[in-house]
């Protein structure tokens, strides 16, 4: 199964909101340092799902250049039994301001099927620039990286939206700024491998790539409680379907009140 970690991380990154709207500089009420969430990645052909790998997110409180930051580490690993098909050993790190949730540093170190890439980005929110290993790029205010956008998204008040509403956002990835959006779908109950939840459903606009044809074909469910943890990502890909389910969480800021049953 190709690039399952990219699926998860590129899925969550679509939640970043654009500069100039009411969400720029939003305050964090959804998570705190010490939280960790683990996912299992399932791949399906002809309706049969198999466990292909894992992905995890963990947070800590640190200082960067004498500035308090959340340090988020996101990792993805294919199962040993699938390494001979497509080996994945990915690690993403984001350091962002504890007050504004704006990124200061982003590191990507990936190994996907023999393709390796290292990227180190420093964001200057005062000059609106992103300094990468390949140059200096102009970015709009309140830009986010792939990982920080995941945590920024969790503080959105979805009760302000009606089903069908679009929420625009901007994201910096591979030395480019992307204008994308998510479409709010409403609330529903979803049954995952972990349990049954009250959830918020959204559909991100995806870029066309090796896995996706583009458009709004991916569905994402997040907990309908104060944590807003993504529960499931599901999307068709070039061959088959990928489903990513939350399987474990620790040290949440709020009780998991959206859980209906195990």
């Amino acid at each position: 199964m190709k690039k399952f970690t990219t699926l998860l991380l590129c899925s969550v990154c679509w939640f970043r909101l654009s500069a100039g709207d009411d969400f720029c500089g939003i305050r964090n009420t959804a998570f705190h340092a010490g939280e960790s969430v683990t996912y299992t990645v399932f791949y399906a052909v002809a309706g049969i799902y198999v466990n292909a790998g894992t992905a995890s997110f963990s947070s800590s409180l640190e200082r960067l250049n004498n500035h308090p930051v959340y340090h988020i580490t996101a990792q993805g690993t294919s199962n040993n039994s699938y390494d001979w098909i497509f080996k994945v050993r990915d690690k993403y790190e984001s350091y962002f301001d504890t007050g504004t949730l704006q990124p200061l540093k982003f590191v990507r170190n990936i190994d996907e099927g023999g393709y390796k890439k290292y990227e180190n980005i420093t964001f200057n929110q005062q000059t609106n620039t992103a300094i990468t290993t390949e140059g200096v790029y102009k970015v709009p205010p309140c830009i986010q990286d792939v990982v920080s956008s995941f945590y920024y998204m969790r503080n959105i008040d979805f009760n302000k939206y009606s089903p069908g509403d679009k929420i625009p956002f901007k994201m910096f990835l591979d030395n480019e700024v992307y204008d994308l959006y998510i479409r709010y779908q409403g609330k529903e109950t979803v049954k995952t491998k972990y349990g049954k939840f009250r959830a918020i459903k959204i559909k991100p606009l995806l870029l066309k790539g090796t896995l996706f044809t583009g458009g709004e074909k991916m569905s994402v469910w997040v907990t309908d409680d104060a944590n807003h943890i993504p529960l499931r990502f599901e999307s068709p890909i070039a061959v088959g379907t990928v489903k990513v389910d939350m399987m474990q969480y620790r040290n949440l800021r709020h009780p998991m009140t959206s859980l209906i049953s195990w």
Side-chain angles (χ1 to χ4, degrees):
M1 187 194 72
K2 193 173 184 180
K3 296 187 179 180
F4 72 83
T5 308
T6 303
L7 165 67
L8 178 60
L9 292 175
C10 287
S11 299
V12 298
C13 76
W14 310 135
F15 302 131
R16 169 67 199 113
L17 300 178
S18 64
D21 58 27
D22 294 336
F23 297 93
C24 186
I26 194 171
R27 294 291 176 176
N28 172 39
T29 61
F31 65 90
H32 59 186
E35 177 195 271
S36 65
V37 185
T38 303
Y39 296 84
T40 297
V41 181
F42 299 93
Y43 173 64
V45 175
I48 301 175
Y49 283 89
V50 295
N51 185 330
T54 61
S56 65
F57 293 81
S58 62
S59 64
S60 62
L61 187 62
E62 300 180 11
R63 299 191 73 84
L64 181 66
N65 297 326
N66 206 32
H67 193 87
V69 295
Y70 288 115
H71 176 197
I72 308 299
T73 301
Q75 299 187 80
T77 304
S78 56
N79 292 339
N80 292 335
S81 59
Y82 283 87
D83 281 350
W84 68 276
I85 299 175
F86 196 84
K87 183 179 180 179
V88 174
R89 297 292 186 273
D90 287 354
K91 184 176 182 179
Y92 294 72
E93 296 178 88
S94 179
Y95 303 76
F96 52 86
D97 187 284
T98 57
T100 64
L101 305 185
Q102 300 302 300
L104 301 177
K105 182 179 179 180
F106 173 72
V107 179
R108 177 168 57 160
N109 191 358
I110 63 173
D111 183 348
E112 299 174 345
Y115 170 75
K116 298 181 180 181
K117 182 171 183 177
Y118 176 82
E119 185 177 24
N120 191 317
I121 303 173
T122 299
F123 291 94
N124 189 321
Q125 300 293 345
Q126 284 69 46
T127 61
N128 292 327
T129 55
I131 305 170
T132 77
T133 52
E134 298 179 13
V136 179
Y137 299 85
K138 192 68 176 178
V139 297
C142 299
I143 196 72
Q144 292 278 333
D145 63 51
V146 170
V147 177
S148 65
S149 45
F150 168 61
Y151 289 83
Y152 200 100
M153 172 277 301
R154 290 173 55 184
N155 288 280
I156 296 173
D157 182 3
F158 289 101
N159 292 319
K160 295 181 178 180
Y161 299 97
S162 299
D165 284 353
K166 291 181 179 180
I167 307 173
F169 66 93
K170 296 181 186 292
M171 182 191 68
F172 186 75
L173 178 68
D174 289 330
N175 300 327
E176 292 188 43
V177 175
Y178 291 96
D179 291 283
L180 301 167
Y181 65 81
I182 63 171
R183 188 185 297 276
Y184 174 62
Q185 295 290 96
K187 299 183 179 183
E188 63 183 42
T189 300
V190 60
K191 187 175 182 180
T192 72
K193 296 292 184 179
Y194 183 92
K196 188 177 181 180
F197 292 86
R198 288 183 294 273
I200 297 166
K201 184 180 180 180
I202 53 182
K203 280 186 171 290
L205 175 66
L206 299 184
L207 299 173
K208 185 175 181 180
T210 56
L211 279 175
F212 310 108
T213 58
E216 299 180 21
K217 295 186 178 180
M218 175 179 288
S219 294
V220 181
W221 292 264
V222 304
T223 57
D224 187 14
D225 56 31
N227 298 293
H228 283 171
I229 293 176
L231 293 166
R232 168 175 288 172
F233 306 86
E234 188 169 16
S235 178
I237 56 175
V239 178
T241 302
V242 169
K243 180 168 63 178
V244 182
D245 273 7
M246 187 278 295
M247 298 299 289
Q248 185 181 67
Y249 57 85
R250 294 178 180 173
N251 196 27
L252 300 184
R253 182 167 181 171
H254 307 281
M256 182 69 84
T257 58
S258 60
L259 178 62
I260 298 172
S261 62
W262 296 93

PDB file of all heavy atoms in Angstrom, residues 67-83:
ATOM      1  N   HIS A  67      11.356  30.568  23.375  1.00  0.00           N
ATOM      2  CA  HIS A  67       9.932  30.826  23.160  1.00  0.00           C
ATOM      3  C   HIS A  67       9.149  29.553  23.482  1.00  0.00           C
ATOM      4  O   HIS A  67       9.511  28.476  23.013  1.00  0.00           O
ATOM      5  CB  HIS A  67       9.690  31.250  21.701  1.00  0.00           C
ATOM      6  CG  HIS A  67       8.338  31.822  21.462  1.00  0.00           C
ATOM      7  ND1 HIS A  67       8.047  33.160  21.637  1.00  0.00           N
ATOM      8  CD2 HIS A  67       7.182  31.238  21.065  1.00  0.00           C
ATOM      9  CE1 HIS A  67       6.783  33.372  21.355  1.00  0.00           C
ATOM     10  NE2 HIS A  67       6.227  32.218  21.011  1.00  0.00           N
ATOM     11  N   PRO A  68       8.080  29.633  24.290  1.00  0.00           N
ATOM     12  CA  PRO A  68       7.313  28.420  24.607  1.00  0.00           C
ATOM     13  C   PRO A  68       6.567  27.896  23.377  1.00  0.00           C
ATOM     14  O   PRO A  68       5.848  28.647  22.711  1.00  0.00           O
ATOM     15  CB  PRO A  68       6.342  28.887  25.690  1.00  0.00           C
ATOM     16  CG  PRO A  68       6.201  30.357  25.472  1.00  0.00           C
ATOM     17  CD  PRO A  68       7.535  30.829  24.966  1.00  0.00           C
ATOM     18  N   VAL A  69       6.747  26.619  23.100  1.00  0.00           N
ATOM     19  CA  VAL A  69       6.125  26.018  21.925  1.00  0.00           C
ATOM     20  C   VAL A  69       5.587  24.631  22.266  1.00  0.00           C
ATOM     21  O   VAL A  69       6.059  23.968  23.189  1.00  0.00           O
ATOM     22  CB  VAL A  69       7.124  25.871  20.756  1.00  0.00           C
ATOM     23  CG1 VAL A  69       7.597  27.221  20.255  1.00  0.00           C
ATOM     24  CG2 VAL A  69       8.305  24.981  21.148  1.00  0.00           C
ATOM     25  N   TYR A  70       4.574  24.225  21.504  1.00  0.00           N
ATOM     26  CA  TYR A  70       4.182  22.827  21.486  1.00  0.00           C
ATOM     27  C   TYR A  70       5.053  22.129  20.448  1.00  0.00           C
ATOM     28  O   TYR A  70       5.179  22.597  19.313  1.00  0.00           O
ATOM     29  CB  TYR A  70       2.712  22.675  21.088  1.00  0.00           C
ATOM     30  CG  TYR A  70       1.744  23.110  22.153  1.00  0.00           C
ATOM     31  CD1 TYR A  70       0.911  24.206  21.946  1.00  0.00           C
ATOM     32  CD2 TYR A  70       1.640  22.414  23.358  1.00  0.00           C
ATOM     33  CE1 TYR A  70       0.005  24.613  22.919  1.00  0.00           C
ATOM     34  CE2 TYR A  70       0.740  22.814  24.341  1.00  0.00           C
ATOM     35  CZ  TYR A  70      -0.074  23.908  24.111  1.00  0.00           C
ATOM     36  OH  TYR A  70      -0.958  24.305  25.073  1.00  0.00           O
ATOM     37  N   HIS A  71       5.652  21.022  20.856  1.00  0.00           N
ATOM     38  CA  HIS A  71       6.432  20.209  19.929  1.00  0.00           C
ATOM     39  C   HIS A  71       5.604  18.969  19.615  1.00  0.00           C
ATOM     40  O   HIS A  71       5.359  18.128  20.488  1.00  0.00           O
ATOM     41  CB  HIS A  71       7.767  19.829  20.556  1.00  0.00           C
ATOM     42  CG  HIS A  71       8.593  18.920  19.696  1.00  0.00           C
ATOM     43  ND1 HIS A  71       9.654  18.187  20.198  1.00  0.00           N
ATOM     44  CD2 HIS A  71       8.516  18.602  18.371  1.00  0.00           C
ATOM     45  CE1 HIS A  71      10.190  17.473  19.216  1.00  0.00           C
ATOM     46  NE2 HIS A  71       9.516  17.697  18.109  1.00  0.00           N
ATOM     47  N   ILE A  72       5.166  18.872  18.371  1.00  0.00           N
ATOM     48  CA  ILE A  72       4.336  17.749  17.932  1.00  0.00           C
ATOM     49  C   ILE A  72       5.177  16.813  17.079  1.00  0.00           C
ATOM     50  O   ILE A  72       5.866  17.259  16.160  1.00  0.00           O
ATOM     51  CB  ILE A  72       3.122  18.229  17.123  1.00  0.00           C
ATOM     52  CG1 ILE A  72       2.353  19.307  17.886  1.00  0.00           C
ATOM     53  CG2 ILE A  72       2.225  17.045  16.769  1.00  0.00           C
ATOM     54  CD1 ILE A  72       1.798  18.868  19.218  1.00  0.00           C
ATOM     55  N   THR A  73       5.119  15.540  17.395  1.00  0.00           N
ATOM     56  CA  THR A  73       5.801  14.526  16.603  1.00  0.00           C
ATOM     57  C   THR A  73       4.764  13.584  16.001  1.00  0.00           C
ATOM     58  O   THR A  73       3.943  13.015  16.724  1.00  0.00           O
ATOM     59  CB  THR A  73       6.784  13.722  17.463  1.00  0.00           C
ATOM     60  OG1 THR A  73       7.743  14.602  18.045  1.00  0.00           O
ATOM     61  CG2 THR A  73       7.510  12.680  16.613  1.00  0.00           C
ATOM     62  N   ALA A  74       4.788  13.455  14.679  1.00  0.00           N
ATOM     63  CA  ALA A  74       3.891  12.545  13.969  1.00  0.00           C
ATOM     64  C   ALA A  74       4.738  11.517  13.231  1.00  0.00           C
ATOM     65  O   ALA A  74       5.658  11.880  12.496  1.00  0.00           O
ATOM     66  CB  ALA A  74       3.019  13.312  12.979  1.00  0.00           C
ATOM     67  N   GLN A  75       4.447  10.244  13.455  1.00  0.00           N
ATOM     68  CA  GLN A  75       5.234   9.183  12.847  1.00  0.00           C
ATOM     69  C   GLN A  75       4.332   8.161  12.164  1.00  0.00           C
ATOM     70  O   GLN A  75       3.214   7.902  12.627  1.00  0.00           O
ATOM     71  CB  GLN A  75       6.099   8.488  13.899  1.00  0.00           C
ATOM     72  CG  GLN A  75       7.089   9.418  14.578  1.00  0.00           C
ATOM     73  CD  GLN A  75       8.047   8.682  15.486  1.00  0.00           C
ATOM     74  OE1 GLN A  75       9.032   8.085  15.049  1.00  0.00           O
ATOM     75  NE2 GLN A  75       7.787   8.706  16.781  1.00  0.00           N
ATOM     76  N   GLY A  76       4.830   7.591  11.075  1.00  0.00           N
ATOM     77  CA  GLY A  76       4.106   6.560  10.356  1.00  0.00           C
ATOM     78  C   GLY A  76       5.029   5.418   9.995  1.00  0.00           C
ATOM     79  O   GLY A  76       6.162   5.648   9.554  1.00  0.00           O
ATOM     80  N   THR A  77       4.548   4.198  10.193  1.00  0.00           N
ATOM     81  CA  THR A  77       5.371   3.016   9.934  1.00  0.00           C
ATOM     82  C   THR A  77       4.514   1.924   9.314  1.00  0.00           C
ATOM     83  O   THR A  77       3.428   1.620   9.822  1.00  0.00           O
ATOM     84  CB  THR A  77       5.984   2.475  11.239  1.00  0.00           C
ATOM     85  OG1 THR A  77       6.719   3.524  11.883  1.00  0.00           O
ATOM     86  CG2 THR A  77       6.914   1.312  10.962  1.00  0.00           C
ATOM     87  N   SER A  78       4.983   1.348   8.232  1.00  0.00           N
ATOM     88  CA  SER A  78       4.301   0.193   7.658  1.00  0.00           C
ATOM     89  C   SER A  78       4.618  -1.040   8.493  1.00  0.00           C
ATOM     90  O   SER A  78       5.677  -1.124   9.131  1.00  0.00           O
ATOM     91  CB  SER A  78       4.736  -0.026   6.207  1.00  0.00           C
ATOM     92  OG  SER A  78       6.145  -0.155   6.119  1.00  0.00           O
ATOM     93  N   ASN A  79       3.695  -1.987   8.525  1.00  0.00           N
ATOM     94  CA  ASN A  79       3.942  -3.227   9.239  1.00  0.00           C
ATOM     95  C   ASN A  79       5.066  -4.021   8.578  1.00  0.00           C
ATOM     96  O   ASN A  79       5.252  -3.951   7.362  1.00  0.00           O
ATOM     97  CB  ASN A  79       2.676  -4.078   9.281  1.00  0.00           C
ATOM     98  CG  ASN A  79       1.601  -3.457  10.149  1.00  0.00           C
ATOM     99  OD1 ASN A  79       1.881  -2.632  11.013  1.00  0.00           O
ATOM    100  ND2 ASN A  79       0.354  -3.847   9.921  1.00  0.00           N
ATOM    101  N   ASN A  80       5.808  -4.763   9.392  1.00  0.00           N
ATOM    102  CA  ASN A  80       6.934  -5.526   8.845  1.00  0.00           C
ATOM    103  C   ASN A  80       6.515  -6.465   7.722  1.00  0.00           C
ATOM    104  O   ASN A  80       7.260  -6.674   6.762  1.00  0.00           O
ATOM    105  CB  ASN A  80       7.606  -6.326   9.962  1.00  0.00           C
ATOM    106  CG  ASN A  80       8.317  -5.436  10.970  1.00  0.00           C
ATOM    107  OD1 ASN A  80       8.709  -4.324  10.645  1.00  0.00           O
ATOM    108  ND2 ASN A  80       8.472  -5.930  12.188  1.00  0.00           N
ATOM    109  N   SER A  81       5.319  -7.022   7.822  1.00  0.00           N
ATOM    110  CA  SER A  81       4.864  -7.955   6.789  1.00  0.00           C
ATOM    111  C   SER A  81       4.592  -7.274   5.460  1.00  0.00           C
ATOM    112  O   SER A  81       4.472  -7.945   4.429  1.00  0.00           O
ATOM    113  CB  SER A  81       3.594  -8.670   7.272  1.00  0.00           C
ATOM    114  OG  SER A  81       2.567  -7.734   7.563  1.00  0.00           O
ATOM    115  N   TYR A  82       4.481  -5.917   5.462  1.00  0.00           N
ATOM    116  CA  TYR A  82       4.238  -5.179   4.232  1.00  0.00           C
ATOM    117  C   TYR A  82       5.465  -4.416   3.751  1.00  0.00           C
ATOM    118  O   TYR A  82       5.419  -3.767   2.702  1.00  0.00           O
ATOM    119  CB  TYR A  82       3.063  -4.207   4.423  1.00  0.00           C
ATOM    120  CG  TYR A  82       1.729  -4.893   4.385  1.00  0.00           C
ATOM    121  CD1 TYR A  82       1.185  -5.440   5.540  1.00  0.00           C
ATOM    122  CD2 TYR A  82       1.026  -5.033   3.193  1.00  0.00           C
ATOM    123  CE1 TYR A  82      -0.030  -6.088   5.514  1.00  0.00           C
ATOM    124  CE2 TYR A  82      -0.192  -5.682   3.151  1.00  0.00           C
ATOM    125  CZ  TYR A  82      -0.716  -6.207   4.317  1.00  0.00           C
ATOM    126  OH  TYR A  82      -1.927  -6.862   4.287  1.00  0.00           O
ATOM    127  N   ASP A  83       6.553  -4.473   4.509  1.00  0.00           N
ATOM    128  CA  ASP A  83       7.747  -3.729   4.120  1.00  0.00           C
ATOM    129  C   ASP A  83       8.281  -4.159   2.762  1.00  0.00           C
ATOM    130  O   ASP A  83       8.833  -3.348   2.016  1.00  0.00           O
ATOM    131  CB  ASP A  83       8.847  -3.906   5.177  1.00  0.00           C
ATOM    132  CG  ASP A  83       8.623  -3.014   6.397  1.00  0.00           C
ATOM    133  OD1 ASP A  83       7.742  -2.143   6.334  1.00  0.00           O
ATOM    134  OD2 ASP A  83       9.339  -3.201   7.400  1.00  0.00           O
TER     135      ASP A  83
END
